[in-house]
């Protein structure tokens, strides 16, 4: 084992880790902005549906960031792919939400605590994240 190599590249690890955490926070914040209710308040009240939906969005984002980190050649490349992926995830999530449930206001259902809807939307976010991650790594 070449300990010198790991010590020489540790700074790169820290830089990519910090950049990825910042991109994760930005993506999560953007998701929060497009949500018509306060996720924090509803989770505090014990709304499992909101918690599942938010967790799914965050997990989908992490999958995408993981792929962007592995595929990027530098920090700028990482940031560009992460931003593209966040936008694509938002758009695809909204499209899928509309296609599957044209006659239902899913935001209201989640806000009311409909666990099935929260789990469905969280799952959709993860699946979309996996597709976007695969496209990035291509």
């Amino acid at each position: 084992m070449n300990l010198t190599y790991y010590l020489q590249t540790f700074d790169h690890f820290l830089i990519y880790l910090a950049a990825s955490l910042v991109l994760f926070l930005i993506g999560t914040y953007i998701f929060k902005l497009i949500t018509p209710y306060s996720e924090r308040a509803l989770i505090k009240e014990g709304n499992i549906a909101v918690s599942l939906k938010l967790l799914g969005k965050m997990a989908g984002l992490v999958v995408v960031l993981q792929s962007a980190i592995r595929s990027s050649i530098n920090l700028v490349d990482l940031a560009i792919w992460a931003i593209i992926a966040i936008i694509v995830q938002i758009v695809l999530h909204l499209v899928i939400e509309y296609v599957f449930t044209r006659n239902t206001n899913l935001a209201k259902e989640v806000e009311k605590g409909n666990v099935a809807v929260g789990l469905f939307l969280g799952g959709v976010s993860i699946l979309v994240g996996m597709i976007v991650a695969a496209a990035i790594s291509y």
Side-chain angles (χ1 to χ4, degrees), residues 97 101-107 109 117:
E97 187 173 319
T101 56
R102 280 179 262 178
N103 300 323
T104 306
N105 186 334
L106 295 181
E109 289 298 314
V117 174

Side-chain angles (χ1 to χ4, degrees), residues 2-127:
N2 187 356
L3 186 60
T4 308
Y5 169 77
Y6 294 104
L7 292 174
Q8 290 172 341
T9 59
F10 188 69
D11 58 335
H12 293 282
F13 163 77
L14 292 176
I15 292 168
Y16 270 79
L17 177 64
S20 299
L21 290 174
V22 168
L23 289 164
F24 173 75
L25 292 173
I26 290 169
T28 302
Y29 181 73
I30 291 170
F31 288 146
K32 187 177 172 191
L33 286 178
I34 64 170
T35 304
Y37 47 80
S38 171
E39 291 164 328
R40 175 178 281 174
L42 290 172
I43 290 171
K44 265 183 145 178
E45 293 173 8
N47 189 319
I48 296 170
V50 171
S51 182
L52 289 169
K53 181 181 176 186
L54 179 60
L55 183 60
K57 285 181 178 180
M58 294 166 81
L61 180 58
V62 166
V63 169
V64 169
L65 285 173
Q66 176 266 146
S67 180
I69 291 166
R70 288 181 183 213
S71 302
S72 65
I73 55 174
N74 56 40
L75 281 176
V76 173
D77 193 41
L78 169 63
I80 289 169
W81 280 115
I83 291 166
I84 289 170
I86 291 167
I87 293 167
V88 169
Q89 273 193 283
I90 290 168
V91 170
L92 287 177
H93 184 80
L94 294 173
V95 167
I96 290 170
E97 187 173 319
Y98 175 76
V99 167
F100 280 112
T101 56
R102 280 179 262 178
N103 300 323
T104 306
N105 186 334
L106 295 181
K108 289 273 187 225
E109 289 298 314
V110 172
E111 191 174 4
K112 289 191 294 188
N114 187 330
V115 174
V117 174
L119 181 60
F120 172 75
L121 293 176
V124 165
S125 293
I126 294 169
L127 296 174

